[in-house]
Amino acid sequence: MQTLAPSDTLHQHFPQGLHFSLLKSSKTHQETQQLHAFSLKTGIFTHLSVSSRLLSLYADPKINNLRYARSVFDRIQHPTLVLWNIIIKCYVENQRSYEGISLFAELLAHFLPDEFTFPCVIKGCAKLNALKEGKQIHGLVLKLGFGLYKFVQSSLVNLYSKCGEIGSAQKVFDEIDEKDLILWNSLLDGYARCGEVKVAMKVFEEMPEKDTYSWTVLIDGLAKSGEVETAREIFEMMPKRNIISWNTMINGYMKAGDVNSARKLFSQMSTRDLITWNSMIGGFELNLRFVEALEMFERMLKEEFRPSQATLVSVISSVSGLASLAKGRSIHSYIVKNGIELDGVVGTVLIEMYSKCGSIDSALAVFRTINHKKLGHWTAIIVGLSIHGMAEHALKLFLEMRKIGVKPNAITCVGVLNACSHAGLINDGRGYFKMMINEYGIKPTIEHYGCLVDMLCRAGYLEEAKGTIEEMPMRPNKVIWMTLLSGARIRGNTKIGEYAAYHLIEVAPETIGGYVVLSNMYAVAGEWDKVSKVRDMMKKRGLRKEPGCSLIEHRGMHHEFIVGDKSHPQTKEIYSKLSEMREKLKLAGHIPDTSQVLLYIEEEEEKEAELEHHSERLAIAFGLINVDAGCPIRIMKNLRVCNDCHSVTKLLSKIYSREIIVRDNSRFHHFKNGLCSCKDFW
DNA sequence: GTAGGGTTAG
């Protein structure tokens, strides 16, 4: 401080010229701040020369402190056009283009923009994909006669390329006399981005010169249009490759689902950057190779790379895919230890992860710690609560969200409707469906109609559900038909069941569920000839029912059980626990619901398997033996829980005073004190 | 005392 800031006495003798010269040479952030403080203290800040210099120092890419730049700017009483330009640019460069564009609108009240203003603000529009605003500004450019300025033209080509208006980009491009590499690259980028690879190739060939950027943009375009092989050829032909080209190629493979080629490329790289790791981890996750994604993450940490938000998003999503609560908790603690903010997408996927892993309590805990809750966080927790059957809580949060003025999107509404349907709140559901359309202007998608149909089916309004399906503006998919079919089965309505099954088999002949539900329905109705007809149909098409399978995680290990499984090392204990369970259930007055046995259309092995050897019972027995008292027993099941297992699990939760959480193929059941969170509605 | 594109992961 002493060396930089002259004392107040010195200042009295020398006018601002001295300080100006002090300000002039290049400065570090700290020095700039000291000068800033000094100029405020002594009052020389009021000299435009000083404040301007401070502003440009803060806005300089080397220092790039938007907050301080803005505070300097705000203190200047009459900023010049140059200063407006600087502050707008600073916003755009700091990914806050939206505010940059607002400032531009403010600027218009004081000045006419110049040839330096336009490139900045147009770049901001390009970054935001704000085509409408961009076009308005283009109009202003023409009106004010800046249409022939090189940098303005360049930024326009870039704008239209980025926003997918390649025709307009080409038009501006054609009007330019002297085209340089940057301009060609912008155009090439535009064609590659909008999937016009053929034209992109042509542009590429026409280009008088090319740099690594040009080659890379082309590779990316080819890979994204599904031509990975051509992309690889271009990659091999490149005269000079940089790390971005390698990363682009890896991504191309990952997008194409060619995980092995991506991995091979990765192993050949001599240097890797954060994006390389993220591409690999994100690629594994994209291709549902969750275990490999997590292994890659471990390796990344070992090689001392610091994960970014993007890394964590992929990693946490992989954990959700594996439904491994233990892994999820360990990554969460990594995040806490490293002081990583949860206010962004990381918070959202963390909430999702906990709810998908069965711990809605942890999801709620994360939700509560987030300071600036954004739509994504609200949506994640509402959807989470809805799949856990906690409709009241979900709706309460939805109201709270609306109260503070957060506008729901289509996905939030799926959560809300799903909550209503899982809890049988049909009137609320209908109301929210209307509210979504009228109040928020959200066009219902097939998922929303799915919730509506589900709601109606659960309430037994099968004809109305059928009518809704017939009147929807889109073609029903297999989920819709499956919903109607299940509804028909629960109500024993064979007529609608056949109708739904017929359509289901038409839309998705490979979906096993349809045949199974149909044949079960016939079995209950005693129509055995039809049962065997369905069975023959399945055989002819080579379809087999997926065996029921339950999974339980214990001390970071997964234990998997199928019906009548005897392969587990603890089999002896598990089966003796099962006998004990049988006795206790009998004492509690449980009468097995054998109607479900009939419903199994599968062959010998399943006929033999008695209800009490259903995979979830084995998993529960394992849980009762191994999971510490006081901790919930968490089970994941690939199929729907059968009626008998559902009532047994309720009883067991009371008999053993244990919380049992079961995830079936569509939702969670929380069994506690003899009751289930689904209120027997599933 | 300002000045164009910035490609790849999410």
Side-chain angles (χ1 to χ4, degrees):
Chain A
M1 186 80 189
Q2 266 83 10
T3 52
L4 283 164
S7 71
D8 291 354
T9 13
L10 255 175
H11 167 245
Q12 282 160 14
H13 296 287
F14 295 92
Q16 72 274 11
L18 171 69
H19 314 300
F20 181 63
S21 68
L22 276 170
L23 280 161
K24 215 167 171 191
S25 59
S26 164
K27 296 277 180 287
T28 64
H29 190 224
Q30 206 190 359
E31 286 166 341
T32 307
Q33 274 186 305
Q34 288 170 347
L35 289 164
H36 188 179
F38 176 75
S39 67
L40 285 174
K41 198 173 130 207
T42 57
I44 59 166
F45 182 89
T46 51
H47 291 278
L48 195 57
S49 59
V50 175
S51 48
S52 298
R53 179 65 188 151
L54 275 170
L55 175 60
S56 64
L57 277 171
Y58 280 132
D60 189 274
K62 273 206 299 284
I63 292 175
N64 192 28
N65 190 324
L66 177 60
R67 233 182 71 214
Y68 285 113
R70 180 64 197 246
S71 82
V72 170
F73 182 79
D74 283 341
R75 278 169 164 271
I76 300 173
Q77 291 205 323
H78 301 290
T80 61
L81 179 57
V82 171
L83 300 180
W84 281 95
N85 288 349
I86 294 176
I87 193 74
I88 290 172
K89 178 163 189 278
C90 197
Y91 271 102
V92 170
E93 295 302 321
N94 280 284
Q95 320 303 335
R96 289 172 66 174
S97 304
Y98 186 77
E99 287 146 285
I101 293 172
S102 312
L103 278 172
F104 173 74
E106 246 179 82
L107 172 152
L108 292 177
H110 307 278
F111 294 99
L112 283 179
D114 66 5
E115 73 272 27
F116 296 116
T117 325
F118 284 117
C120 293
V121 68
I122 292 171
K123 184 178 177 182
C125 292
K127 282 193 174 180
L128 290 174
N129 245 304
L131 188 57
K132 211 179 104 206
E133 288 77 5
K135 278 184 169 170
Q136 279 172 8
I137 294 170
H138 188 178
L140 193 61
V141 163
L142 297 177
K143 207 171 116 195
L144 296 177
F146 288 106
L148 291 175
Y149 281 80
K150 202 176 146 204
F151 293 149
V152 179
Q153 290 172 322
S154 247
S155 63
L156 283 168
V157 173
N158 179 243
L159 167 79
Y160 287 124
S161 285
K162 290 271 185 293
C163 295
E165 273 229 348
I166 189 65
S168 307
Q170 180 77 59
K171 220 173 120 202
V172 179
F173 180 86
D174 289 337
E175 287 167 5
I176 301 170
D177 297 328
E178 275 183 49
K179 301 173 177 93
D180 61 11
L181 180 59
I182 289 174
L183 201 57
W184 277 100
N185 278 341
S186 288
L187 188 72
L188 178 67
D189 190 15
Y191 280 112
R193 195 177 288 267
C194 70
E196 298 240 28
V197 251
K198 292 256 149 42
V199 193
M201 284 285 243
K202 226 180 104 221
V203 170
F204 185 75
E205 273 154 30
E206 275 174 35
M207 285 171 74
E209 52 168 339
K210 306 163 176 81
D211 60 5
T212 313
Y213 175 97
S214 334
W215 288 86
T216 308
V217 165
L218 186 65
I219 290 173
D220 190 45
L222 284 164
K224 280 190 180 142
S225 313
E227 299 186 36
V228 230
E229 289 314 311
T230 324
R232 180 61 189 252
E233 280 165 30
I234 302 281
F235 180 75
E236 295 298 340
M237 274 160 57
M238 277 178 84
K240 224 178 127 196
R241 286 181 282 262
N242 61 14
I243 195 156
I244 300 180
S245 340
W246 283 83
N247 291 344
T248 305
M249 200 59 234
I250 285 184
N251 266 310
Y253 278 131
M254 283 300 196
K255 291 252 157 70
D258 189 348
V259 175
N260 291 336
S261 299
R263 197 203 292 278
K264 218 167 166 183
L265 223 51
F266 176 82
S267 66
Q268 288 165 5
M269 289 172 83
S270 51
T271 48
R272 304 180 178 117
D273 65 3
L274 181 62
I275 294 184
T276 318
W277 291 98
N278 287 355
S279 301
M280 290 301 289
I281 295 169
F284 282 131
E285 193 244 325
L286 182 73
N287 288 290
L288 313 179
R289 309 267 286 249
F290 305 125
V291 175
E292 282 146 293
L294 296 181
E295 282 167 1
M296 208 24 106
F297 177 60
E298 296 287 323
R299 198 173 145 193
M300 172 184 176
L301 294 182
K302 245 185 228 135
E303 298 192 19
E304 298 192 343
F305 274 90
R306 249 188 88 81
S308 66
Q309 305 260 324
T311 327
L312 294 168
V313 169
S314 300
V315 169
I316 299 167
S317 304
S318 298
V319 171
S320 302
L322 290 174
S324 168
L325 188 61
K327 283 236 163 58
R329 289 207 196 286
S330 94
I331 286 163
H332 186 189
S333 74
Y334 175 90
I335 288 171
V336 173
K337 263 188 222 135
N338 287 277
I340 293 160
E341 282 255 356
L342 293 185
D343 287 5
V345 193
V346 175
T348 307
V349 290
L350 206 55
I351 295 171
E352 257 174 43
M353 181 277 288
Y354 274 126
S355 75
K356 284 185 183 159
C357 290
S359 180
I360 191 68
D361 293 342
S362 303
L364 278 165
V366 171
F367 178 75
R368 284 193 208 102
T369 62
I370 292 169
N371 292 320
H372 303 284
K373 293 184 181 66
K374 301 203 182 86
L375 177 59
H377 303 118
W378 290 99
T379 301
I381 197 71
I382 289 171
V383 171
L385 288 164
S386 89
I387 59 170
H388 282 269
M390 295 159 80
E392 289 83 7
H393 202 153
L395 297 178
K396 201 185 110 210
L397 286 182
F398 181 61
L399 289 181
E400 208 179 304
M401 179 191 102
R402 280 167 24 103
K403 214 157 104 196
I404 61 166
V406 176
K407 217 184 123 207
N409 66 11
I411 304 165
T412 325
C413 295
V414 173
V416 170
L417 294 174
N418 198 30
C420 295
S421 104
H422 277 169
L425 303 169
I426 179 158
N427 288 329
D428 297 65
R430 279 184 176 135
Y432 286 121
F433 193 82
K434 283 195 192 108
M435 177 204 279
M436 166 177 104
I437 299 169
N438 301 328
E439 206 169 306
Y440 293 108
I442 295 169
K443 217 174 115 198
T445 64
I446 196 149
E447 286 81 8
H448 299 112
Y449 280 103
C451 295
L452 202 58
V453 170
D454 191 50
M455 235 177 271
L456 293 166
C457 286
R458 283 166 196 269
Y461 303 134
L462 292 176
E463 286 296 339
E464 200 184 332
K466 181 169 167 256
T468 306
I469 295 174
E470 281 159 356
E471 283 162 27
M472 341 192 283
M474 64 285 283
R475 194 168 167 243
N477 61 11
K478 72 174 188 188
V479 180
I480 299 275
W481 292 122
M482 194 66 199
T483 307
L484 186 64
L485 179 57
S486 307
R489 194 213 52 178
I490 290 167
R491 299 284 162 173
N493 187 329
T494 326
K495 207 179 115 234
I496 289 193
E498 279 175 336
Y499 167 85
Y502 171 77
H503 283 284
L504 176 65
I505 291 169
E506 188 183 63
V507 183
E510 75 293 347
T511 306
I512 297 147
Y515 304 92
V516 175
V517 177
L518 188 63
S519 93
N520 285 354
M521 199 162 62
Y522 287 140
V524 170
E527 301 189 46
W528 298 102
D529 50 328
K530 288 190 178 173
V531 171
S532 62
K533 242 187 195 160
V534 177
R535 220 188 279 185
D536 285 346
M537 211 149 80
M538 279 184 78
K539 254 198 195 132
K540 240 187 241 159
R541 298 182 187 190
L543 300 171
R544 269 185 72 88
K545 186 175 155 279
E546 211 182 326
C549 170
S550 293
L551 197 141
I552 179 167
E553 192 180 60
H554 180 58
R555 300 198 201 287
M557 288 273 288
H558 280 152
H559 302 262
E560 220 176 287
F561 298 94
I562 56 167
V563 192
D565 205 323
K566 288 195 172 145
S567 64
H568 194 274
Q570 282 177 292
T571 292
K572 231 179 119 190
E573 289 165 83
I574 290 170
Y575 277 80
S576 82
K577 195 60 155 182
L578 281 173
S579 317
E580 180 194 306
M581 282 154 64
R582 189 192 312 127
E583 291 309 312
K584 294 203 175 190
L585 284 166
K586 215 190 250 165
L587 278 175
H590 175 69
I591 301 160
D593 177 0
T594 49
S595 67
Q596 294 277 318
V597 178
L598 276 178
L599 305 187
Y600 279 90
I601 61 153
E602 261 310 316
E603 329 298 0
E604 290 61 30
E605 71 259 68
E606 233 146 354
K607 274 190 196 149
E608 282 166 26
E610 290 178 44
L611 286 173
E612 61 195 47
H613 294 163
H614 274 174
S615 64
E616 55 265 58
R617 306 260 183 116
L618 297 175
I620 292 172
F622 174 89
L624 288 172
I625 297 165
N626 295 294
V627 177
D628 297 335
C631 292
I633 295 169
R634 300 169 188 281
I635 293 165
M636 310 278 171
K637 192 180 179 205
N638 62 338
L639 303 174
R640 185 181 178 278
V641 184
C642 88
N643 283 348
D644 192 58
C645 283
H646 194 266
S647 34
V648 161
T649 312
K650 282 199 292 186
L651 276 173
L652 289 174
S653 73
K654 191 168 183 183
I655 295 169
Y656 288 96
S657 310
R658 295 295 294 250
E659 191 181 353
I660 303 169
I661 301 170
V662 179
R663 182 179 87 168
D664 68 13
N665 53 8
S666 74
R667 61 170 302 151
F668 281 93
H669 299 259
H670 289 250
F671 298 94
K672 208 174 167 180
N673 256 331
L675 296 172
C676 178
S677 62
C678 79
K679 302 189 181 107
D680 303 334
F681 223 88
W682 85 103

